[in-house]
Amino acid sequence: MAEKKVKKEKIPRQPMPEQEPDVRRRNFNEVPLGYSKELAMKEAERCIQCKKPTCISGCPVSIDIPAFIKLIKEGEFTKSIRKLWEKNGLPAVCGRVCPQEDQCEGVCVLAKKGEPVAIGNLERFVADLEREHGTGELPPKAKPTGKRVAVVGSGPSGLTVAGDLTLKGHDVTIFEAFHKPGGVLVYGIPEFRLPKEIVFSEVNFLERLGAKLECNAVVGRIVSIDELFEQGYDAVYVGVGAGLPRFMNIPGENLIGIYSANEYLTRSNLMKAYLFPEYDTPIAKGKNVAVFGAGNVAMDSARTAMRLGADVVRIVYRRSREEMPARAAEIHHAEEEGIEFYLLTAPTKFIGDENGRVTGMECLKMELGEPDESGRRRPVPIKGSEFQLECDLAVIAVGAGANPLLTQSTEGLELNRWGYVIADPETGKTTKKGVWAGGDIVTGSATVILAMGAGRAASDSIHQYLTWGW
Amino acid sequence: MFEILKRQEMADGTVVLNEISAPLIAKKAKPGQFVILKANETGERIPLTMAEADPKKGIITIIYQIVGKSTALFKSLQVGDKFQDVIGPLGKPTHLEKIGTVVCVGGGTGVAVMHPITRGLKEVGNNVIAIIGARTKDLLILEDKMTAASHELHVCTDDGSYGHHGFVTDVLKEVLEKEDVKLVVGIGPVPMMKFVCKVTEQFKVKTLVSLNSIMVDGTGMCGCCRVSVGGKTQFACVDGPEFDGHEVDFEELMQRLQAYTAEEAAAYGKYKGECKLA
Ligand SMILES: Cc1cc2nc3c(=O)[nH]c(=O)nc-3n(C[C@H](O)[C@H](O)[C@H](O)COP(=O)(O)OP(=O)(O)OC[C@H]3O[C@@H](n4cnc5c(N)ncnc54)[C@H](O)[C@@H]3O)c2cc1C
Ligand SMILES: Cc1cc2nc3c(=O)[nH]c(=O)nc-3n(C[C@H](O)[C@H](O)[C@H](O)COP(=O)(O)OP(=O)(O)OC[C@H]3O[C@@H](n4cnc5c(N)ncnc54)[C@H](O)[C@@H]3O)c2cc1C
Ligand code: SF4
Ligand code: FES
């Protein structure tokens, strides 16, 4: 008995094999390579199957984590993926991009004494296995209800709503402004972190279920929400994301070679500019790159610049390491790939040459003062600490705001003072009858799993509405 | 969807007109708005103004000058071929209101952009004087349509091969001296728009220009198209494309249009090479 327990604790957390840093920093292939069945089963064995599992409370969509892990341990992979699907329609995505250290793994009991179970890695493993080797069998679908639902935006929240409501028998059409579906999963998060083939296979699954997809449809331009109702839609879900780039509003920001992260990543990911000239969209290939901000978006931009051939890539961030909002794995990967961190540094202006191309910037050193509204210590400039940094490419990744294109053209849809849609956190109901909203356009930039959770809540409420009324 | 129904070469083959089937866009399109087109899977998103939109037939018309790889690729598409993606209508429509005498100045392919605006300004009851120009006679486009869309048309060529010998700005100056002009709209190459604004500034006449900055999404999510207007950064795709010309920083726009000169030349060179081989 005692012997067995000791043995169990001895299995260390199984690392996922990865491409070597100095190889991967110059290619766009995915960095972690995935678990084999053996590795996954070994890792699954580390889970002690708590009676009161804390990990579930850490997951925003309450996946029955011990249950899906137990099924992996037993080699019941198909049953395991079904367990995941009960709560999460995009496990291959979440396993890769969730901030597990702040969620499920952060509260895993093993984390108290050592390393938590690699929940994200296991989630990814079963989802990949199903995608690559599963039967592709469709889940049972309810009888057609004759009700029509329009979903605006095909990011994780819109896809979740579309999947849920299609299964419940409603006739769902997704409207997407871009020429490809997936939202940030496709235009923002790079191939080396989330292969696009995974997202398209999820969308394809929804289409096989019977959901319809209209790309190139900018709602608010080609059709308004009121016109959707006139066309016979019974409910509308708004999941348009936080698609407004934020700039720093410092002099010189319109010089050539200064991108918003949205533009830089959209060119590279959605337009495949990293494959220029095979693909027609160009992208500036900087040798000496500065990226402002320290979230996932900044890490993605910095690592993209490195892969496009930069000699030096610097993350310039006005706070310290502790405040960096990116996932731990991204910061770790970025460092391994040779990205430099200029912390407690804020740019004050950009400098350009006679052709209007950026050549560098002026910066100030910062120190941390009293905590601000966000609870983080406020960076305060140190007098006389000005210095110059050279760069031939700069990417601004200091956050995003609410894109007003749809929201401000929709009568009766109330917005808060930052332009985000006001929606009931429990149901996603907005102030306009028949309209729900969720994801980044309600909360501001957040996470994939929170956007999906909001989509799930809204689809339950929409289903109720379509069945019983508002 | 997005099938090419009609194709016509203009201005010695340097400009091409396409009529495209796009019923939903045609229903909503207003003068001054544009679409973004992508020819195929590997293509770039290219913004072009709708020179015409017929909601009844479900057709939009684009007229574009061949300046690089993507427009050359568009030119190669024949009747019956399809654009993979067409997105629109995008941008703010021109504000059309009756104010009196207006002058519409169009240069080069800008005449195509100018045409629906000219017609719209006439339809709401303005006295419309149009001035169009090109480098030489063979490059002039849409003279007949502009005649119909305006009350008075002046034609200029830089080399004097047709109409007035000289720039559109020369004629503009003469008109401004004679008439009580309430509004000037200038659309064409950036240097032309800049000089139009210089002239109208002296006469203190409000001037609208249409800015053709480089774009990606066309919905305000990337900031690629940013321009400085009155010292403030604006996104041409959603705040424009039309702006008060006296407030626009044309130098910055001209520089930003050069952002990818090297890449564009390489792509166009490669494309021409491939076409020769084929
Ligand atoms: C570069 C980057 C990296 C990130 N990394 C992570 C990560 O590692 N982990 C994590 O959890 N989160 C990450 N995030 C955040 C996460 O991606 C978002 O929180 C999430 O995608 C929000 O989902 P959504 O469905 O609300 O909107 P989005 O994913 O933004 O999708 C909205 C969709 O709506 C479309 N749309 C917009 N307007 C219209 C309109 N008028 N008509 C029709 N369609 C419209 C857009 O084109 C888009 O496709 C990252 C974000 C970025 C930008
Ligand atoms: C709102 C708007 C409306 C326009 N309407 C018309 C029109 O009706 N007729 C017409 O002939 N042209 C129009 N243009 C310009 C047209 O989009 C460019 O000529 C075209 O993109 C060039 O692509 P290319 O690959 O053939 O040339 P490239 O070799 O890529 O570039 C040639 C030049 O075109 C500019 N350019 C390149 N890419 C873009 C881009 N994605 N967006 C804008 N400009 C770019 C560059 O500054 C460059 O100097 C419009 C542009 C905008 C923004
Ligand atoms: S969805 Fe995210 S939080 Fe939930 S178990 Fe998976 S990795 Fe953890
Ligand atoms: S083209 Fe992206 S914001 Fe205008």
PDB file of all heavy atoms in Angstrom, chain A residues 55 58-63 65 68 84 88 94-95 98-100 103-105 119-120 123 449, ligand 3:
ATOM      1  N   CYS A  55      -9.440  21.308  -9.584  1.00  0.00           N
ATOM      2  CA  CYS A  55      -9.175  21.717 -10.962  1.00  0.00           C
ATOM      3  C   CYS A  55     -10.458  22.121 -11.686  1.00  0.00           C
ATOM      4  O   CYS A  55     -10.476  23.085 -12.449  1.00  0.00           O
ATOM      5  CB  CYS A  55      -8.481  20.598 -11.733  1.00  0.00           C
ATOM      6  SG  CYS A  55      -9.352  19.019 -11.643  1.00  0.00           S
ATOM      7  N   GLY A  58     -11.402  25.494 -11.301  1.00  0.00           N
ATOM      8  CA  GLY A  58     -10.499  26.421 -11.993  1.00  0.00           C
ATOM      9  C   GLY A  58     -10.792  26.544 -13.476  1.00  0.00           C
ATOM     10  O   GLY A  58     -10.267  27.427 -14.146  1.00  0.00           O
ATOM     11  N   CYS A  59     -11.614  25.641 -13.998  1.00  0.00           N
ATOM     12  CA  CYS A  59     -11.912  25.671 -15.439  1.00  0.00           C
ATOM     13  C   CYS A  59     -13.172  26.500 -15.674  1.00  0.00           C
ATOM     14  O   CYS A  59     -14.223  26.177 -15.135  1.00  0.00           O
ATOM     15  CB  CYS A  59     -12.110  24.249 -15.953  1.00  0.00           C
ATOM     16  SG  CYS A  59     -12.711  24.220 -17.657  1.00  0.00           S
ATOM     17  N   PRO A  60     -13.070  27.549 -16.491  1.00  0.00           N
ATOM     18  CA  PRO A  60     -14.234  28.415 -16.704  1.00  0.00           C
ATOM     19  C   PRO A  60     -15.448  27.698 -17.287  1.00  0.00           C
ATOM     20  O   PRO A  60     -16.556  28.205 -17.189  1.00  0.00           O
ATOM     21  CB  PRO A  60     -13.718  29.469 -17.679  1.00  0.00           C
ATOM     22  CG  PRO A  60     -12.245  29.472 -17.523  1.00  0.00           C
ATOM     23  CD  PRO A  60     -11.875  28.063 -17.165  1.00  0.00           C
ATOM     24  N   VAL A  61     -15.266  26.516 -17.903  1.00  0.00           N
ATOM     25  CA  VAL A  61     -16.443  25.812 -18.416  1.00  0.00           C
ATOM     26  C   VAL A  61     -16.679  24.496 -17.670  1.00  0.00           C
ATOM     27  O   VAL A  61     -17.448  23.648 -18.115  1.00  0.00           O
ATOM     28  CB  VAL A  61     -16.363  25.572 -19.947  1.00  0.00           C
ATOM     29  CG1 VAL A  61     -16.370  26.896 -20.691  1.00  0.00           C
ATOM     30  CG2 VAL A  61     -15.145  24.753 -20.320  1.00  0.00           C
ATOM     31  N   SER A  62     -16.008  24.342 -16.517  1.00  0.00           N
ATOM     32  CA  SER A  62     -16.236  23.205 -15.616  1.00  0.00           C
ATOM     33  C   SER A  62     -16.153  21.837 -16.290  1.00  0.00           C
ATOM     34  O   SER A  62     -17.024  20.986 -16.108  1.00  0.00           O
ATOM     35  CB  SER A  62     -17.607  23.317 -14.936  1.00  0.00           C
ATOM     36  OG  SER A  62     -17.765  24.579 -14.371  1.00  0.00           O
ATOM     37  N   ILE A  63     -15.100  21.618 -17.053  1.00  0.00           N
ATOM     38  CA  ILE A  63     -14.873  20.291 -17.622  1.00  0.00           C
ATOM     39  C   ILE A  63     -14.677  19.291 -16.480  1.00  0.00           C
ATOM     40  O   ILE A  63     -14.038  19.620 -15.476  1.00  0.00           O
ATOM     41  CB  ILE A  63     -13.616  20.307 -18.520  1.00  0.00           C
ATOM     42  CG1 ILE A  63     -13.867  21.174 -19.749  1.00  0.00           C
ATOM     43  CG2 ILE A  63     -13.185  18.892 -18.917  1.00  0.00           C
ATOM     44  CD1 ILE A  63     -12.675  21.309 -20.651  1.00  0.00           C
ATOM     45  N   ILE A  65     -12.616  17.203 -15.305  1.00  0.00           N
ATOM     46  CA  ILE A  65     -11.213  16.917 -15.614  1.00  0.00           C
ATOM     47  C   ILE A  65     -10.765  15.528 -15.139  1.00  0.00           C
ATOM     48  O   ILE A  65     -10.213  14.752 -15.918  1.00  0.00           O
ATOM     49  CB  ILE A  65     -10.311  18.054 -15.081  1.00  0.00           C
ATOM     50  CG1 ILE A  65     -10.666  19.362 -15.824  1.00  0.00           C
ATOM     51  CG2 ILE A  65      -8.832  17.723 -15.266  1.00  0.00           C
ATOM     52  CD1 ILE A  65     -10.064  20.611 -15.203  1.00  0.00           C
ATOM     53  N   PHE A  68     -12.111  12.807 -17.566  1.00  0.00           N
ATOM     54  CA  PHE A  68     -11.511  12.625 -18.897  1.00  0.00           C
ATOM     55  C   PHE A  68     -10.079  12.088 -18.787  1.00  0.00           C
ATOM     56  O   PHE A  68      -9.620  11.327 -19.629  1.00  0.00           O
ATOM     57  CB  PHE A  68     -11.637  13.910 -19.748  1.00  0.00           C
ATOM     58  CG  PHE A  68     -10.443  14.822 -19.821  1.00  0.00           C
ATOM     59  CD1 PHE A  68      -9.372  14.546 -20.680  1.00  0.00           C
ATOM     60  CD2 PHE A  68     -10.394  15.989 -19.066  1.00  0.00           C
ATOM     61  CE1 PHE A  68      -8.278  15.414 -20.757  1.00  0.00           C
ATOM     62  CE2 PHE A  68      -9.304  16.856 -19.138  1.00  0.00           C
ATOM     63  CZ  PHE A  68      -8.239  16.561 -19.986  1.00  0.00           C
ATOM     64  N   LEU A  84     -14.932  15.323 -22.736  1.00  0.00           N
ATOM     65  CA  LEU A  84     -14.516  16.719 -22.946  1.00  0.00           C
ATOM     66  C   LEU A  84     -15.576  17.509 -23.706  1.00  0.00           C
ATOM     67  O   LEU A  84     -15.893  18.647 -23.381  1.00  0.00           O
ATOM     68  CB  LEU A  84     -13.203  16.763 -23.733  1.00  0.00           C
ATOM     69  CG  LEU A  84     -11.918  16.640 -22.929  1.00  0.00           C
ATOM     70  CD1 LEU A  84     -10.746  16.329 -23.845  1.00  0.00           C
ATOM     71  CD2 LEU A  84     -11.645  17.929 -22.168  1.00  0.00           C
ATOM     72  N   ASN A  88     -16.869  21.344 -23.699  1.00  0.00           N
ATOM     73  CA  ASN A  88     -15.960  22.161 -24.497  1.00  0.00           C
ATOM     74  C   ASN A  88     -15.940  21.683 -25.940  1.00  0.00           C
ATOM     75  O   ASN A  88     -15.498  20.570 -26.234  1.00  0.00           O
ATOM     76  CB  ASN A  88     -14.557  22.079 -23.877  1.00  0.00           C
ATOM     77  CG  ASN A  88     -13.562  22.993 -24.573  1.00  0.00           C
ATOM     78  OD1 ASN A  88     -13.763  23.381 -25.726  1.00  0.00           O
ATOM     79  ND2 ASN A  88     -12.507  23.342 -23.876  1.00  0.00           N
ATOM     80  N   CYS A  94      -8.270  24.735 -26.981  1.00  0.00           N
ATOM     81  CA  CYS A  94      -8.061  25.112 -25.583  1.00  0.00           C
ATOM     82  C   CYS A  94      -6.836  24.439 -24.982  1.00  0.00           C
ATOM     83  O   CYS A  94      -6.085  25.058 -24.233  1.00  0.00           O
ATOM     84  CB  CYS A  94      -9.290  24.786 -24.756  1.00  0.00           C
ATOM     85  SG  CYS A  94     -10.662  25.855 -25.186  1.00  0.00           S
ATOM     86  N   GLY A  95      -6.628  23.180 -25.307  1.00  0.00           N
ATOM     87  CA  GLY A  95      -5.450  22.492 -24.800  1.00  0.00           C
ATOM     88  C   GLY A  95      -4.173  23.238 -25.170  1.00  0.00           C
ATOM     89  O   GLY A  95      -3.172  23.180 -24.460  1.00  0.00           O
ATOM     90  N   CYS A  98      -5.162  27.841 -23.670  1.00  0.00           N
ATOM     91  CA  CYS A  98      -5.660  28.290 -22.369  1.00  0.00           C
ATOM     92  C   CYS A  98      -4.502  28.647 -21.441  1.00  0.00           C
ATOM     93  O   CYS A  98      -3.467  27.979 -21.471  1.00  0.00           O
ATOM     94  CB  CYS A  98      -6.461  27.170 -21.683  1.00  0.00           C
ATOM     95  SG  CYS A  98      -8.210  27.217 -22.025  1.00  0.00           S
ATOM     96  N   PRO A  99      -4.696  29.665 -20.604  1.00  0.00           N
ATOM     97  CA  PRO A  99      -3.676  29.946 -19.577  1.00  0.00           C
ATOM     98  C   PRO A  99      -3.844  28.972 -18.411  1.00  0.00           C
ATOM     99  O   PRO A  99      -4.321  29.332 -17.338  1.00  0.00           O
ATOM    100  CB  PRO A  99      -3.985  31.392 -19.164  1.00  0.00           C
ATOM    101  CG  PRO A  99      -5.425  31.595 -19.496  1.00  0.00           C
ATOM    102  CD  PRO A  99      -5.784  30.649 -20.613  1.00  0.00           C
ATOM    103  N   GLN A 100      -3.441  27.718 -18.644  1.00  0.00           N
ATOM    104  CA  GLN A 100      -3.710  26.668 -17.647  1.00  0.00           C
ATOM    105  C   GLN A 100      -3.133  27.014 -16.278  1.00  0.00           C
ATOM    106  O   GLN A 100      -3.704  26.659 -15.258  1.00  0.00           O
ATOM    107  CB  GLN A 100      -3.140  25.317 -18.121  1.00  0.00           C
ATOM    108  CG  GLN A 100      -3.944  24.660 -19.229  1.00  0.00           C
ATOM    109  CD  GLN A 100      -3.408  24.990 -20.603  1.00  0.00           C
ATOM    110  OE1 GLN A 100      -2.403  25.680 -20.751  1.00  0.00           O
ATOM    111  NE2 GLN A 100      -4.072  24.490 -21.644  1.00  0.00           N
ATOM    112  N   GLN A 103      -5.607  28.670 -14.377  1.00  0.00           N
ATOM    113  CA  GLN A 103      -6.919  28.012 -14.328  1.00  0.00           C
ATOM    114  C   GLN A 103      -6.781  26.627 -13.702  1.00  0.00           C
ATOM    115  O   GLN A 103      -6.307  26.502 -12.582  1.00  0.00           O
ATOM    116  CB  GLN A 103      -7.516  27.976 -15.747  1.00  0.00           C
ATOM    117  CG  GLN A 103      -7.699  29.393 -16.296  1.00  0.00           C
ATOM    118  CD  GLN A 103      -8.308  29.446 -17.699  1.00  0.00           C
ATOM    119  OE1 GLN A 103      -8.704  30.492 -18.154  1.00  0.00           O
ATOM    120  NE2 GLN A 103      -8.391  28.328 -18.380  1.00  0.00           N
ATOM    121  N   CYS A 104      -7.152  25.600 -14.452  1.00  0.00           N
ATOM    122  CA  CYS A 104      -7.182  24.242 -13.923  1.00  0.00           C
ATOM    123  C   CYS A 104      -5.866  23.813 -13.252  1.00  0.00           C
ATOM    124  O   CYS A 104      -5.862  23.345 -12.121  1.00  0.00           O
ATOM    125  CB  CYS A 104      -7.554  23.272 -15.031  1.00  0.00           C
ATOM    126  SG  CYS A 104      -6.621  23.520 -16.555  1.00  0.00           S
ATOM    127  N   GLU A 105      -4.747  24.005 -13.965  1.00  0.00           N
ATOM    128  CA  GLU A 105      -3.479  23.511 -13.416  1.00  0.00           C
ATOM    129  C   GLU A 105      -3.028  24.336 -12.218  1.00  0.00           C
ATOM    130  O   GLU A 105      -2.338  23.841 -11.325  1.00  0.00           O
ATOM    131  CB  GLU A 105      -2.393  23.506 -14.510  1.00  0.00           C
ATOM    132  CG  GLU A 105      -2.703  22.523 -15.619  1.00  0.00           C
ATOM    133  CD  GLU A 105      -1.615  22.436 -16.688  1.00  0.00           C
ATOM    134  OE1 GLU A 105      -0.475  22.852 -16.423  1.00  0.00           O
ATOM    135  OE2 GLU A 105      -1.927  21.955 -17.798  1.00  0.00           O
ATOM    136  N   ILE A 119      -2.807  19.126 -17.547  1.00  0.00           N
ATOM    137  CA  ILE A 119      -4.196  18.996 -18.013  1.00  0.00           C
ATOM    138  C   ILE A 119      -4.339  19.462 -19.467  1.00  0.00           C
ATOM    139  O   ILE A 119      -4.953  18.798 -20.299  1.00  0.00           O
ATOM    140  CB  ILE A 119      -5.151  19.777 -17.074  1.00  0.00           C
ATOM    141  CG1 ILE A 119      -5.017  19.247 -15.641  1.00  0.00           C
ATOM    142  CG2 ILE A 119      -6.595  19.669 -17.565  1.00  0.00           C
ATOM    143  CD1 ILE A 119      -5.726  20.086 -14.592  1.00  0.00           C
ATOM    144  N   GLY A 120      -3.733  20.614 -19.759  1.00  0.00           N
ATOM    145  CA  GLY A 120      -3.827  21.152 -21.125  1.00  0.00           C
ATOM    146  C   GLY A 120      -3.234  20.201 -22.142  1.00  0.00           C
ATOM    147  O   GLY A 120      -3.819  19.936 -23.202  1.00  0.00           O
ATOM    148  N   GLU A 123      -5.554  17.323 -22.683  1.00  0.00           N
ATOM    149  CA  GLU A 123      -6.740  17.744 -23.432  1.00  0.00           C
ATOM    150  C   GLU A 123      -6.392  17.786 -24.925  1.00  0.00           C
ATOM    151  O   GLU A 123      -7.116  17.279 -25.783  1.00  0.00           O
ATOM    152  CB  GLU A 123      -7.160  19.128 -22.926  1.00  0.00           C
ATOM    153  CG  GLU A 123      -8.449  19.650 -23.518  1.00  0.00           C
ATOM    154  CD  GLU A 123      -8.818  21.019 -22.963  1.00  0.00           C
ATOM    155  OE1 GLU A 123      -7.943  21.698 -22.376  1.00  0.00           O
ATOM    156  OE2 GLU A 123      -9.974  21.418 -23.127  1.00  0.00           O
ATOM    157  N   ILE A 449     -11.279  30.610 -23.816  1.00  0.00           N
ATOM    158  CA  ILE A 449     -12.214  29.812 -23.036  1.00  0.00           C
ATOM    159  C   ILE A 449     -13.323  30.688 -22.434  1.00  0.00           C
ATOM    160  O   ILE A 449     -14.473  30.269 -22.339  1.00  0.00           O
ATOM    161  CB  ILE A 449     -11.479  28.969 -21.952  1.00  0.00           C
ATOM    162  CG1 ILE A 449     -12.406  27.917 -21.346  1.00  0.00           C
ATOM    163  CG2 ILE A 449     -10.874  29.815 -20.876  1.00  0.00           C
ATOM    164  CD1 ILE A 449     -12.777  26.799 -22.275  1.00  0.00           C
TER     165      ILE A 449
HETATM  166  S1  SF4 C   3     -10.514  24.176 -20.965  1.00  0.00           S
HETATM  167 FE1  SF4 C   3      -8.742  25.265 -20.220  1.00  0.00          FE
HETATM  168  S2  SF4 C   3      -9.139  25.554 -18.013  1.00  0.00           S
HETATM  169 FE2  SF4 C   3     -10.578  23.979 -18.746  1.00  0.00          FE
HETATM  170  S3  SF4 C   3      -9.488  22.064 -18.348  1.00  0.00           S
HETATM  171 FE3  SF4 C   3      -8.992  22.634 -20.419  1.00  0.00          FE
HETATM  172  S4  SF4 C   3      -7.079  23.741 -20.226  1.00  0.00           S
HETATM  173 FE4  SF4 C   3      -7.973  23.671 -18.195  1.00  0.00          FE
END
